[in-house]
Amino acid sequence: AQSVAQPEDQVNVAEGNPLTVKCTYSVSGNPYLFWYVQYPNRGLQFLLKYITGDNLVKGSYGFEAEFNKSQTSFHLKKPSALVSDSALYFCAVREGGYQKVTFGTGTKLQVIP
Amino acid sequence: DAGVIQSPRHEVTEMGQEVTLRCKPISGHNSLFWYRQTMMRGLELLIYFNNNVPIDDSGMPEDRFSAKMPNASFSTLKIQPSEPRDSAVYFCASSSGTGGTDSNQPQHFGDGTRLSIL
């Protein structure tokens, strides 16, 4: 069975500093990995995905994520945080061959001015 | 482009009443998902359809919940009778692809229906 873990309920970072939101996964086959962001009273919005190829994936709004197969991790990163990045971030995994996606519990990112 | 459209955005009703939530997926998408989000349980997949056919309804909590997709552009999630513990935000999402090698497509979410059962 596939699973994903987001070990931090909340991450606080100062505006302008780099940010990292952590995610680890478990699948028996090849993983398809996703990051989504949710703003208050809105649905989840797709940020980026890893399917295959380059381990560093670039996505929307300056975010990127690094796939690490040996550590089964897919951490979300941004070089310089903005106050407007404050939101709830979800990591998700889908095992190749299946349509069902498993979402993590979410990490609240708070960027402090 | 129009995204996933859900209605109503808010619903307040009394316990025991029937509740119907509606979803219009993105045109051309052939997979549709219903989720429920609460503080306690996070985001839960209730059911998903592929080409209008229910594929996995193992997340549907009870027989009080039912979902239909009569055509490619419309789906409903019905709760009958409703209970206070059903209060949550319900999301609909759609994606292209049919699973298998197409399963790398992201899901596109609507803005949800906030349901309150009194």
Side-chain angles (χ1 to χ4, degrees):
Chain A
Q2 59 192 30
S3 66
V4 62
Q6 294 182 245
E8 301 154 317
D9 290 337
Q10 181 159 336
V11 170
N12 297 322
V13 63
E15 185 177 23
N17 281 4
L19 69 87
T20 298
V21 182
K22 296 179 180 178
C23 171
T24 59
Y25 67 90
S26 174
V27 297
S28 56
N30 293 323
Y32 295 157
L33 295 156
F34 305 81
W35 276 102
Y36 291 81
V37 60
Q38 185 180 28
Y39 297 100
N41 300 314
R42 301 297 303 276
L44 279 68
Q45 297 176 32
F46 168 71
L47 277 179
L48 52 81
K49 66 180 180 182
Y50 171 82
I51 304 302
T52 187
D54 196 348
N55 290 343
L56 186 64
V57 179
K58 295 188 182 297
S60 306
Y61 312 122
F63 284 94
E64 57 190 27
E66 187 170 9
F67 171 68
N68 187 316
K69 187 174 183 178
S70 62
Q71 297 186 3
T72 61
S73 67
F74 189 56
H75 300 330
L76 182 70
K77 300 182 179 184
K78 188 174 182 180
S80 178
L82 300 173
V83 173
S84 57
D85 292 330
S86 299
L88 189 58
Y89 289 81
F90 289 91
C91 182
V93 66
R94 173 188 285 159
E95 189 169 339
Y98 296 94
Q99 187 69 308
K100 187 174 179 177
V101 170
T102 299
F103 285 86
T105 52
T107 298
K108 183 178 181 180
L109 174 67
Q110 189 77 33
V111 181
I112 303 164
Chain B
D1 289 343
V4 175
I5 299 172
Q6 292 187 246
S7 64
R9 287 298 312 275
H10 304 273
E11 176 87 12
V12 180
T13 191
E14 293 188 346
M15 181 175 64
Q17 297 298 306
E18 178 178 292
V19 173
T20 299
L21 311 181
R22 297 173 175 80
C23 175
K24 177 178 171 57
I26 292 173
S27 177
H29 282 188
N30 52 12
S31 294
L32 183 139
F33 308 80
W34 282 101
Y35 292 90
R36 178 172 67 177
Q37 186 178 38
T38 61
M39 289 292 292
M40 292 296 294
R41 301 171 71 97
L43 193 65
E44 302 173 275
L45 176 66
L46 301 177
I47 185 171
Y48 77 91
F49 296 83
N50 188 257
N51 292 325
N52 312 338
V53 176
I55 303 300
D56 185 346
D57 66 352
S58 60
M60 296 286 262
E62 300 171 33
D63 291 345
R64 298 184 296 106
F65 285 69
S66 62
K68 294 182 179 179
M69 192 165 185
N71 57 62
S73 59
F74 184 66
S75 178
T76 59
L77 178 67
K78 186 174 294 186
I79 308 172
Q80 167 63 19
S82 58
E83 297 183 4
R85 59 192 167 122
D86 302 330
S87 298
V89 181
Y90 290 80
F91 289 103
C92 176
S94 70
S95 71
S96 58
T98 58
T101 56
D102 291 333
S103 59
N104 61 358
Q105 297 305 312
Q107 294 179 17
H108 299 259
F109 283 73
D111 283 335
T113 295
R114 184 173 296 275
L115 178 64
S116 297
I117 309 297
L118 306 177

